[in-house]
């Protein structure tokens, strides 16, 4: 097959078609830019479904691989090397689903420089897909770093009052961690004479003796992106100041790049160190769960509350990863998807309220259920999903993670998992308190009495997320069928060490 027509190449770079056409539009052609971006993102989603149809669910290894020489550095080959397994396929599907939903949410929210916004958003999609599909370390790093640029401008140009501060903080935190990761990649490439991830996994002896330092270099970059406690301080500012679509894609996909990095690099490249440091990583994850939930509870800004909830929910993902068994790993991957769906929907609803009232302070609301009953009902559905109600997606992921954590042989004590269960209770507390303050009780502000209920376009942005939330909650088997062969192979690899 011609490499340019390879399914993964088409998938990764198809958003560029939309970028090229939008660049030829005039600045005042705002509606055309919106429609072109939406159609381009839907085309990419369609290609991802085609890739799904080509994927063999029973196979654990890499599939649909394309590997072409690109250039050489000091005699070492850098390749255009793409492939996917069950983990990366789940992340690709999440990315291609959330991108058109995010673009549709901007229809009335983004009114200035629409052309530039859509160009940056589609470029961001290219970089995210590249991260999840790259199997050459240098290619991965290029996509990883490139993702910073469009996100920086999305926050810095279309964000809130403190957008410049938030954009710089986001950029500097992520860049600082990435520098050490690049250094680790260069050391490994120099020692093993290759940047191919599969070849490095087969030749761990080449970098023996340096594993713990290399592990920590990669872990720092990925932990900042997740973000893990105590490296999380950039996240609330970025979320609060980002436009709604930026918050959705930041929470839904960009944070998952960090967790994906642990699964793609740290565990298979440094399995012995992963086992050695697993208790410490799990402790940090549990601290993040409890800290994120506690800080979310005291927030008065509903968007900041959802931002801190991400720190707590991603703590569960990291706990599942470092349980280092099939149950924990499967639950972690599914919870990465669940968080993207539920928190993405929460940010969309916060954006809908902000467009109506131009405030995110919970004290400015109250009693909205009487005024906007349909929006209130859908908000309750998503809140229940995020807090892990049985029958919805959050319960399946958290239950599987806790099952893996309690059964883990590498964690120092089951008390680590026991403390993590408090995060489930705390999530119910802060989410229900938030819902009560915004939607229940009397209408205390006259400005809220004539708010418009959810529109057809807004319902269309939420409906796909609600369907998948319910699907995973009631019938998660198709999702586990995609994930399980890959994570079982990964868990078996780690168990050998």
């Amino acid at each position: 097959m011609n490499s340019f027509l390879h399914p993964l190449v088409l998938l990764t770079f198809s958003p560029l078609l939309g970028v090229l056409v939008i660049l030829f539009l005039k600045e005042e052609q705002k509606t055309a830019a919106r429609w072109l971006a939406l159609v381009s993102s839907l085309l990419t989603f369609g290609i991802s479904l085609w890739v799904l149809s080509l994927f063999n669910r029973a196979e654990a290894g890499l599939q649909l691989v394309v590997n072409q020489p690109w250039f050489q550095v000091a005699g070492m080959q850098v390749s255009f090397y793409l492939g996917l397994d069950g983990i990366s396929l789940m992340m690709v599907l999440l990315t291609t689903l959330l991108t058109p939903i995010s673009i549709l949410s901007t229809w009335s929210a983004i009114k200035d420089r629409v052309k530039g916004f859509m160009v940056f958003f589609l470029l961001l999609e290219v970089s995210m897909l590249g991260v999840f599909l790259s199997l050459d370390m240098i290619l991965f790093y290029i996509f990883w770093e490139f993702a910073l640029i469009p996100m920086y401008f999305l926050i810095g140009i279309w964000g809130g009052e403190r957008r410049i501060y938030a954009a710089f903080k986001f950029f500097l935190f992520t860049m600082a961690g990435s520098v050490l990761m690049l250094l680790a990649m260069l050391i490994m490439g120099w020692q093993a004479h290759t940047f191919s991830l599969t070849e490095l996994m087969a030749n761990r002896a080449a970098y023996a003796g340096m594993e713990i330092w290399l592990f920590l270099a990669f872990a720092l970059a990925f932990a900042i992106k997740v973000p893990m406690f105590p490296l999380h301080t950039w996240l609330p500012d970025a979320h609060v100041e980002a436009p709604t679509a930026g918050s959705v894609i930041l929470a839904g996909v960009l944070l998952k790049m960090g967790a994906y990095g642990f699964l793609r690099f740290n565990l298979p490249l440094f399995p012995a160190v992963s086992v050695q440091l697993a208790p410490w990583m799990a402790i940090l994850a549990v601290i993040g769960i409890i800290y994120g939930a506690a800080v979310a509870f005291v927030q008065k800004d509903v968007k900041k509350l959802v931002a801190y909830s991400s720190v707590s929910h991603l703590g569960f993902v990291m706990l599942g990863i470092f349980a280092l068994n099939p149950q924990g790993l499967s639950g972690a991957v599914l919870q990465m998807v669940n968080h993207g769906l539920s928190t993405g929907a929460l940010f969309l609803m916060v954006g809908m309220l902000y467009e109506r009232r131009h405030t995110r302070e919970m004290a400015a609301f109250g009693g909205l259920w009487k005024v906007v009953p349909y929006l209130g009902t859908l908000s309750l559905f998503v809140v229940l999903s995020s807090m892990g109600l049985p029958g919805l997606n959050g319960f399946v992921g958290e239950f599987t993670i806790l099952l893996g954590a309690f059964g883990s042989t590498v964690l120092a004590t089951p008390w680590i998992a026991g403390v993590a269960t408090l995060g489930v209770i705390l999530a119910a507390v802060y989410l229900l308190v938030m819902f009560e303050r915004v939607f229940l009780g009397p209408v205390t502000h006259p400005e809220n009495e004539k708010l418009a209920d959810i529109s057809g376009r807004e319902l269309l942005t939420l409906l796909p997320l609600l369907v998948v939330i319910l699907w995973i909650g009631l019938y998660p088997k198709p999702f586990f069928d995609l994930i399980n062969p890959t994570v079982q192979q990964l868990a078996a690899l780690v168990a050998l060490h």
Side-chain angles (χ1 to χ4, degrees), residues 138 141 177-187:
I138 301 302
Y141 185 80
S178 300
V179 169
L180 285 177
M181 179 171 69
L182 177 62
L183 179 61
M185 288 176 172
L186 294 174
I187 291 172

Side-chain angles (χ1 to χ4, degrees), residues 32 36 158 221 274 278 292 298 309 325 338:
L36 282 168
W158 291 275
S274 297
V298 300
S309 78
N325 56 25
N338 290 339

Side-chain angles (χ1 to χ4, degrees), residues 290-313:
I290 304 302
Y291 170 84
V295 178
F297 177 72
V298 300
Q299 297 306 312
K300 298 178 181 179
D301 182 314
V302 65
K303 197 173 187 183
K304 191 168 281 191
L305 180 147
V306 179
Y308 276 106
S309 78
S310 290
V311 177
S312 183
H313 285 131

Side-chain angles (χ1 to χ4, degrees), residues 399-429:
F399 173 79
T400 313
I401 288 169
L402 291 172
L403 191 67
F406 275 111
S408 175
T409 59
V410 300
L411 299 186
T413 168
W415 280 104
I416 293 176
V419 175
T421 58
L422 295 175
V424 180
I425 301 170
L426 293 174
V429 172

Side-chain angles (χ1 to χ4, degrees), residues 232-279:
H232 64 282
T233 56
W234 64 269
L235 180 66
D237 291 311
H239 266 318
V240 169
E241 299 305 324
T244 297
S247 294
V248 172
I249 217 71
L250 178 60
V253 183
L254 260 71
L255 305 188
K256 310 312 182 306
M257 287 164 48
Y260 175 81
F262 280 104
L263 293 165
R264 179 60 70 218
F265 288 87
N266 287 68
L267 268 58
L269 290 176
F270 320 109
V273 179
S274 297
V275 172
Q276 180 184 347
L277 297 183

Side-chain angles (χ1 to χ4, degrees), residues 360-384:
R360 293 184 297 265
E361 293 293 322
M362 284 184 269
F365 298 107
L368 293 192
W369 191 295
K370 299 181 179 69
V371 183
V372 287
Y374 294 111
L375 180 57
T377 301
L378 296 177
S379 298
L380 178 60
F381 182 90
V382 177
V383 163
L384 295 175

Side-chain angles (χ1 to χ4, degrees), residues 154-171:
L154 289 172
I155 298 173
I157 296 175
W158 291 275
E161 292 181 3
R162 300 174 71 242
R163 58 187 180 273
I164 303 299
Y165 168 78
F168 266 112
K169 195 172 182 180
F170 161 75
F171 192 91

